[in-house]
Amino acid sequence: MAAFFAILTAIPHFSGNFGIDLVNKIMIYAIFALSLELLVGGTGLVCFGQAAFFGIGAYIAVLLSPESASASLLWLLPAAVFAAGLYALVVGSLSLRTKGVYFIMVTLAFAQMAYFVVHDTPLGGGSDGIYLNVKPQLANLIRLDSPLAMYYFTLACLVLVFIFLAVLLRSRFGRALAGIRVNEQRMRATGFSTYPYKLAAFTLSGAIAGLAGFLFAVKDGFVNPEMMSWHLSGAVLVMIILGGLGHLRGALIGAFAFALLQEFFKAEAIFGDFAKHWHLGLGLSIIAAVALLPHGLVDLPAQLRSRLTGVLSGNAGSDGSAMPKG
């Protein structure tokens, strides 16, 4: 992971504006994927409304920014994260009283409610969305109107979120979440009140998704209701499944793989007119990856080692030199 983050640090020195913008967008999606990984991979809660928290963080960033002046990151960023976390607290306090498919549908319903609030009311500018006129800054030290500054700020947020979740999942709290994922009934039998643990994880997940939404809004300077649609919730769920559930690095790998595959199949220089149907190529690639790697892309090195070991063992045994006796 240290090498991975070092490569991300060096990319702006070898890439143009398009590459910087693309990797910046993927890093934001990676933060978004990490937020859902905490729920699905860490706690066993399949949430289909994660885009609502992402969109709330984005809309708060735009709605609270002055029209003709630059807002301070010191209060705008915490406000966006707090608003997303607060909505996650409300949604979680109600939806966590259900289980299974009912939990999935309730989280989807709350996300659709948030979607229609910004889509059908003047608050969010309707279907046209709203623009962020002046991007926030921090006392002239961090000016996010610069693509390079925005890139490194996003990278810093990604590293901090990854380290925070890695430490959290290794703590007593994280062990309790792992126990809930494996067998919630047994955790209750040992004396754990599982509801507060799940609610805390749900709220924290929503707050991290709000951070990703804030970064996305600042990067593009524009938000619209599609940021809260169920399509985005489904896409981020595919990211963590593609990368490998139960691994934080799997969420990173899945986000990068999903976004890069999307850009690859959209390339008209490679696919010509077929690039209009990029969803087909992306879908077939994901199906193939899940079929061949059921544990996600994070398991690819282990599978390669296993196959290589099998080949070497077969070659060694063919001349009898490594065959066991008896």
Side-chain angles (χ1 to χ4, degrees):
M1 292 310 304
F4 176 76
F5 288 130
I7 292 172
L8 292 180
T9 303
I11 280 178
H13 300 288
F14 304 99
S15 178
N17 291 333
F18 174 78
I20 292 174
D21 184 73
L22 175 62
V23 178
N24 195 2
K25 180 181 73 173
I26 297 175
M27 289 193 297
I28 293 172
Y29 282 142
I31 295 174
F32 191 24
L34 284 171
S35 74
L36 188 59
E37 171 62 28
L38 175 63
L39 280 184
V40 182
T43 318
L45 299 172
V46 181
C47 175
F48 208 64
Q50 200 74 358
F53 315 128
F54 181 83
I56 288 174
Y59 269 91
I60 290 296
V62 178
L63 291 173
L64 296 186
S65 295
E67 291 188 4
S68 57
S70 178
S72 173
L73 276 173
L74 286 177
W75 65 266
L76 186 62
L77 176 57
V81 172
F82 176 79
L86 182 62
Y87 188 66
L89 177 64
V90 174
V91 173
S93 63
L94 299 175
S95 61
L96 287 171
R97 301 182 186 279
T98 62
K99 293 182 178 180
V101 68
Y102 301 103
F103 174 79
I104 297 173
M105 296 309 296
V106 170
T107 56
L108 175 61
F110 274 107
Q112 289 301 103
M113 287 168 55
Y115 170 83
F116 284 111
V117 166
V118 297
H119 186 276
D120 296 342
T121 66
L123 175 66
S127 60
D128 294 332
I130 49 179
Y131 288 89
L132 178 63
N133 296 321
V134 184
K135 296 186 178 182
Q137 63 181 27
L138 181 60
N140 289 324
L141 297 176
I142 302 176
R143 299 184 61 88
L144 299 185
D145 52 356
S146 166
L148 197 59
M150 183 69 210
Y151 179 93
Y152 283 115
F153 185 76
T154 302
L155 177 58
C157 290
L158 175 60
V159 173
L160 291 175
V161 168
F162 184 88
I163 294 174
F164 171 73
L165 290 180
V167 173
L168 181 74
L169 292 177
R170 285 169 173 77
S171 66
R172 184 178 183 273
F173 176 78
R175 300 297 183 186
L177 294 182
I180 292 170
R181 183 190 71 244
V182 174
N183 193 323
E184 184 177 357
Q185 193 65 29
R186 185 176 297 173
M187 290 294 291
R188 288 176 178 173
T190 56
F192 281 87
S193 180
T194 59
Y195 179 82
Y197 281 94
K198 293 192 294 183
L199 182 58
F202 196 93
T203 304
L204 183 58
S205 172
I208 296 173
L211 169 63
F214 171 88
L215 294 172
F216 198 90
V218 173
K219 183 187 80 69
D220 283 355
F222 172 75
V223 293
N224 64 7
E226 293 306 312
M227 298 179 68
M228 293 187 179
S229 71
W230 64 270
H231 300 86
L232 186 56
S233 294
V236 73
L237 187 58
V238 170
M239 289 178 194
I240 62 174
I241 294 173
L242 181 63
L245 290 175
H247 304 276
L248 292 179
R249 64 185 186 279
L252 299 184
I253 295 171
F256 274 82
F258 184 88
L260 292 176
L261 281 172
Q262 191 175 19
E263 293 296 326
F264 175 72
F265 286 110
K266 282 182 177 180
E268 294 184 1
I270 300 175
F271 295 99
D273 292 337
F274 184 75
K276 299 176 183 177
H277 311 288
W278 60 271
H279 292 89
L280 178 61
L282 178 63
L284 291 174
S285 300
I286 292 172
I287 291 171
V290 173
L292 298 174
L293 295 167
H295 298 292
L297 294 173
V298 73
D299 193 47
L300 181 59
Q303 287 219 16
L304 291 176
R305 285 196 300 268
S306 177
R307 290 173 182 263
L308 183 60
T309 302
V311 170
L312 293 176
S313 298
N315 292 338
S318 61
D319 61 359
S321 60
M323 292 294 290
K325 296 182 179 180

